[in-house]
Amino acid sequence: MAKGIAVYPGSFDPPTNGHLDLIERGSKIFEEMVVAILRNSEKSPMFSVAERLEMLRELTADLKNVRLDTFDGLMVQFAKSIDAKCVLRGIRAISDYEYELQMALMNRRLEPSLETVFMMPADKYSYVSSRLVREVAQAGGPVKGLVPELVEQKLREKLDPAYKLEERPVIDSPKRRKKKA
Ligand code: PNS
């Protein structure tokens, strides 16, 4: 296990199974991991920072060496402020690489002592992104398997505030009624 703190920065709007996969992988490698949500990433995010924090808190509750934080401004400054030695980022496909390389090199220029480490999520999540999840959910499509169940439920509640899973009446379909009889 690598000594010291690693920071895993991102927007997490919303957290996906790909993020979770990476957090779990990172937590097995690094002594301590700080998942850091950028506070001003988008002008109109779907979930507030507080909502994202709450989701991530529940989703990472079992990972004892993972903690959560938020940051503004330069990531490298935040990393320095928590004494992180390295930055963890996920690379899903070659298309991610160019942007990630640019960002890693810019961060290195800003703070040469901070190393960026890339990890790959499970291949089943290689096409999953928060942006696509938002797009599919907003258009009423299914996101099961792409995000944790908790996030799936929060998406439903966000997009249809009248929807509350536990308050939903169980509608008996004719097929089910037939089966029961
Ligand atoms: O989940 P995302 O949106 O891909 O994460 C991008 C993030 C938050 C890691 C990146 O935009 C970032 O670090 N922003 C903070 C501002 C900063 O440090 N910019 C210089 C990086 S080259």
Side-chain angles (χ1 to χ4, degrees), residues 6-68:
V7 59
Y8 178 37
S11 307
F12 307 104
D13 185 31
T16 67
N17 280 342
H19 290 132
L20 261 292
D21 183 90
L22 217 74
I23 293 170
E24 278 166 22
R25 285 173 201 277
S27 73
K28 288 182 193 145
I29 287 182
F30 299 105
E31 194 178 20
E32 192 177 345
M33 255 185 66
V34 176
V35 178
I37 306 172
L38 177 63
R39 283 202 291 270
N40 60 353
S41 59
E42 267 188 64
K43 281 193 188 97
S44 50
M46 182 177 248
F47 290 97
S48 69
V49 171
E51 288 172 319
R52 282 177 264 164
L53 256 179
E54 193 193 312
M55 285 189 269
L56 281 167
R57 188 160 292 130
E58 282 197 40
L59 297 168
T60 60
D62 291 344
L63 303 170
K64 298 298 169 224
N65 59 341
V66 172
R67 62 185 170 90
L68 308 173

Side-chain angles (χ1 to χ4, degrees), residues 171-178:
I171 300 164
D172 247 4
S173 69
K175 211 171 164 189
R176 261 184 68 159
R177 273 200 298 273
K178 228 176 168 181

